[in-house]
Amino acid sequence: MIVEGPVLKYGDKIDTDIIIPARHLKYTDPAYLAQHAMEPIDPEFYKKASKGVIIVAGKVFGMGSSREQAAIALKAAGVKVVIAESFARIFYRNCINNGLPLITLPNATKEINEGDIVKVNVETGEVQVNGRTLKGKGISGMALDILKSGGIMEYLKKVSA
Amino acid sequence: MTGTLTEKILSRASGKTVSPGDVIEAKTDIVAFHDLTGYHVIEVMEKANMVKVFDKSKIVVAFDHLAPPPDVRSAEIQGNIRKFVKDVRLPNFHDINVGILHELLIEKYALPGQVIVAADSHTTTSGAVGAFAQGMGASDVAAAVITGKTWLVVPQPFKVQLKGSPGKWINGKDVALELLGKFKADYFNGMSIEVHVDNPKAFPTDYRATVSNMGIEMNADALMFVPDSETKDYIKTMRGVEAELMTPDQGARYTDEYTIELNKLEPLVAAPYSVDNVKTAREESKVPVDQVYIGSCTNGRISDFRMAAEILKGKKVKARCIAIPSSYEMFKQAMELGYIETLVNAGCIVTYGTCGPCLGGHFGVAGPGEVIVSTSSRNFRGRMGSNEAKVYLSGPSVAAASAATGYITDPRDLQ
């Protein structure tokens, strides 16, 4: 699974209240959530992401709440993959369950710049940028099976069929 | 082989001997959700055409985030869940008058050695009684509701030892903030923290719940107190049940460990905008405060109200103060012990059974430029309302002392 696109870059500890503020959690409609993704720190995010982007960020991206709307909002806004130095556990699972791939890449924020065009192999974790190949950690094992099925519920149907 | 508490719980739950790093399927003893996540859980089940429940007696539902409903959509969400609860005939349903989910789980349901998953990140709170408890998103919880199982990566175990007894104004919050200040918010990613208490009575379950609650702020997979005589007494008092204790084996191996001398802790705060931006209350003592919030699943229990009442007795608050016990039980006890009366006489607004201001929901949303001292769990930008509000996290003693003076205040400095 290969994904390509331009980079939007953020720092460490991008929390779920940044990704989708609590006042929007009474809704699950992807189109609505997309318009409010990253609102507190980047009100233009929705416009920037709409053509398809790759987020690069620092440590514990997605820390905080269990709100699945965080994964839904980013994907619906146009994010194709998130590359971060580390991820919060709940957010990671929510992304897998909503078909948003993730790459863990130490030093991602040092190696990759805003606007770079990045090519990512979701399974091997290889990230190509500026003529170089960086080795990150992709998605494997049960998480990959769930991602490929289209989420845990689809996976359940498949394994119980 | 000798196992940590994490390994022993997850081995029992998966039916095989597990080690850190293993991907396992674990049986869930309790699966829970509240109003704000519950409608999403039900939506996922309905969309997949899989509306069934693995064991009705093991599902717990509580209304807390939107309780009482602040708007029509919230009332609609609660109405939809009430209908689901009735249709599926779930016996463990707690409407808006009972309390916050995580508090109810430790008061009424959680037991040592259990695996608990719920659609809220602060599910880690049940670690207070020695349960392996994780928050998850709506899809994962929907799957657990249907199958009674979930998949997990077995975390690396980290040991925290609590020695001695805390000073008068020290609470579980100061232990949580000490760990966050020392290790920062990303250190425990992929780890479970097992806390061993040398002197069980010196660190009661109230305090333990605050530390476990903030395990998620440390980004730990779980934060569990090794169950002991205090755990047994708490469960016996709250439920009349004799709990069996699951404990780590002698000589269990931990990735690393850290000791906290409780008598050396000072009242701490987390300054905006990060839970690990930890300072002593004295360092921030010149900061004027607009509003104080004492409550939430982090610090809305009886010991929190005791500390607040001791500080505010005979005083009038100089900053707006909202106090919300975390459950009906806590409210009732605080009322019987006179704490509610003391707080009301000091000029606090008191209600119960809601998450309210913690997530900028209602009953005290922060305005632009305001400074809030809150006993809740998060001070992320925008968390309690305006992006331009500044939230300091503290324990109840610093919060009450700050309400009394109108400035961030170390309770030891009160005249």
Side-chain angles (χ1 to χ4, degrees):
Chain A
M1 197 172 162
I2 308 287
V3 184
E4 194 170 356
V7 166
L8 291 180
K9 190 169 156 182
Y10 301 95
D12 287 337
K13 297 190 276 188
I14 299 297
D15 62 65
T16 47
D17 282 272
I18 290 174
I19 299 171
I20 189 76
R23 63 181 170 280
H24 302 304
L25 299 183
K26 290 169 200 162
Y27 302 92
T28 55
D29 174 29
Y32 167 81
L33 295 169
Q35 289 179 32
H36 300 286
M38 306 294 277
E39 201 171 59
I41 59 165
D42 193 355
E44 300 292 303
F45 179 83
Y46 177 54
K47 280 186 205 153
K48 291 191 228 169
S50 61
K51 286 178 187 154
V53 289
I54 288 171
I55 286 183
V56 170
K59 289 176 181 159
V60 281
F61 189 90
M63 66 187 267
S65 147
S66 69
R67 58 189 71 166
E68 198 155 312
Q69 288 95 333
I72 297 171
L74 291 183
K75 188 173 185 221
V79 176
K80 294 178 179 174
V81 57
V82 184
I83 303 172
E85 292 169 11
S86 63
F87 289 97
R89 181 186 56 82
I90 306 175
F91 176 80
Y92 191 94
R93 295 178 72 112
N94 286 343
C95 288
I96 299 297
N97 285 335
N98 285 280
L100 177 60
L102 309 158
I103 303 290
T104 309
L105 180 68
N107 296 322
T109 54
K110 292 192 186 79
E111 305 274 5
I112 306 173
N113 297 312
E114 174 96 9
D116 283 351
I117 304 293
V118 171
K119 196 171 173 183
V120 178
N121 184 323
V122 170
E123 289 169 48
T124 64
E126 280 176 356
V127 177
Q128 290 176 35
V129 58
N130 300 326
R132 294 200 301 143
T133 300
L134 309 170
K135 187 75 184 97
K137 186 170 165 281
I139 300 169
S140 59
M142 193 159 173
L144 183 63
D145 293 342
I146 293 169
L147 180 76
K148 281 184 169 170
S149 306
I152 186 81
M153 298 301 283
E154 294 305 314
Y155 174 80
L156 260 189
K157 279 192 209 163
K158 211 170 77 182
V159 295
S160 60
Chain B
M1 86 163 257
T2 54
T4 60
L5 183 56
T6 306
E7 285 166 335
K8 287 177 78 170
I9 293 176
L10 296 181
S11 293
R12 184 194 58 80
S14 63
K16 61 180 186 189
T17 305
V18 306
S19 305
D22 291 354
V23 180
I24 59 160
E25 198 170 56
K27 279 189 189 159
T28 49
D29 297 290
I30 298 171
V31 184
F33 53 79
H34 53 62
D35 39 9
L36 186 56
T37 54
Y39 87 95
H40 197 177
V41 173
I42 294 165
E43 208 175 88
V44 168
M45 292 166 72
E46 284 173 347
K47 262 191 201 158
N49 208 11
M50 293 177 96
V51 183
K52 54 183 179 181
V53 171
F54 81 104
D55 182 341
K56 287 173 196 169
S57 69
K58 293 180 177 175
I59 311 287
V60 178
V61 182
F63 286 174
D64 53 16
H65 279 57
L66 311 171
D71 53 38
V72 174
R73 175 61 183 154
S74 301
E76 184 184 28
I77 285 172
Q78 290 188 344
N80 293 346
I81 300 172
R82 275 191 202 98
K83 183 175 180 303
F84 173 85
V85 164
K86 204 175 158 198
D87 290 350
V88 186
R89 298 202 184 107
L90 297 181
N92 304 318
F93 169 59
H94 304 284
D95 212 313
I96 61 165
N97 57 342
V98 188
I100 301 177
L101 174 65
H102 307 302
E103 171 64 18
L104 299 180
L105 286 176
I106 61 166
E107 283 181 12
K108 298 176 191 293
Y109 298 99
L111 291 169
Q114 285 185 331
V115 173
I116 299 177
V117 302
D120 189 288
S121 60
H122 289 109
T123 304
T124 50
T125 312
S126 287
V129 295
F132 184 93
Q134 286 196 337
M136 288 184 185
S139 294
D140 276 322
V141 170
V145 166
I146 295 164
T147 64
K149 287 186 245 169
T150 194
W151 71 276
L152 302 166
V153 183
V154 179
Q156 302 285 337
F158 185 99
K159 180 176 176 179
V160 170
Q161 191 88 39
L162 298 186
K163 281 196 175 2
S165 303
K168 182 173 168 63
W169 301 120
I170 298 299
N171 163 288
K173 187 59 134 294
D174 302 295
V175 170
L177 293 180
E178 168 74 12
L179 286 168
L180 279 160
K182 170 86 185 167
F183 290 97
K184 301 297 172 188
D186 62 322
Y187 181 81
F188 294 111
N189 214 344
M191 295 191 204
S192 71
I193 303 169
E194 297 185 10
V195 186
H196 298 237
V197 182
D198 280 2
N199 181 3
K201 282 292 155 206
F203 207 75
T205 303
D206 270 21
Y207 293 12
R208 299 178 186 200
T210 306
V211 183
S212 297
N213 173 280
M214 292 191 70
I216 186 65
E217 311 317 326
M218 301 168 205
N219 278 286
D221 279 16
L223 193 157
M224 291 180 279
F225 278 78
V226 171
D228 54 23
S229 58
E230 159 61 19
T231 317
K232 223 173 159 62
D233 291 349
Y234 174 83
I235 292 169
K236 177 88 180 167
T237 307
M238 297 304 282
R239 291 175 235 168
V241 170
E242 288 293 342
E244 276 182 46
L245 304 185
M246 182 187 271
T247 53
D249 292 325
Q250 287 282 329
R253 266 192 267 168
Y254 290 87
T255 310
D256 206 349
E257 59 181 80
Y258 182 66
T259 299
I260 295 178
E261 311 258 2
L262 292 171
N263 59 323
K264 288 188 182 161
L265 286 181
E266 287 194 67
L268 300 172
V269 298
Y273 290 101
S274 183
V275 288
D276 58 8
N277 190 13
V278 176
K279 301 168 191 293
T280 64
R282 274 182 184 151
E283 280 178 273
E284 299 295 285
S285 65
K286 293 202 168 50
V287 177
V289 175
D290 298 295
Q291 180 175 300
V292 170
Y293 171 41
I294 300 167
S296 87
C297 60
T298 314
N299 276 117
R301 281 170 278 275
I302 200 68
S303 64
D304 303 305
F305 276 76
R306 182 186 310 125
M307 275 194 193
E310 272 188 48
I311 286 169
L312 288 172
K313 196 167 183 71
K315 296 192 181 70
K316 289 285 179 196
V317 293
K318 290 185 178 153
R320 304 188 303 268
C321 183
I322 297 160
I324 306 182
S326 50
S327 69
Y328 171 74
E329 184 58 37
M330 293 300 109
F331 187 92
K332 201 168 63 128
Q333 285 186 23
M335 197 163 59
E336 284 163 1
L337 292 162
Y339 303 153
I340 301 286
E341 193 181 357
T342 300
L343 294 181
V344 169
N345 286 338
C348 302
I349 297 165
V350 186
T351 177
Y352 80 92
T354 182
C355 302
C358 171
L359 72 158
H362 51 163
F363 281 120
V365 174
E370 290 194 329
V371 174
I372 314 283
V373 173
S374 172
T375 67
S376 61
S377 53
R378 287 187 182 134
N379 59 349
F380 301 164
R381 189 183 278 276
R383 168 79 182 176
M384 292 183 74
S386 168
N387 287 332
E388 281 74 50
K390 290 184 172 158
V391 179
Y392 285 81
L393 301 178
S394 80
S397 61
V398 172
S402 304
T405 63
Y407 288 85
I408 291 179
T409 301
D410 183 321
R412 296 171 299 176
D413 298 336
L414 273 186
Q415 292 305 310

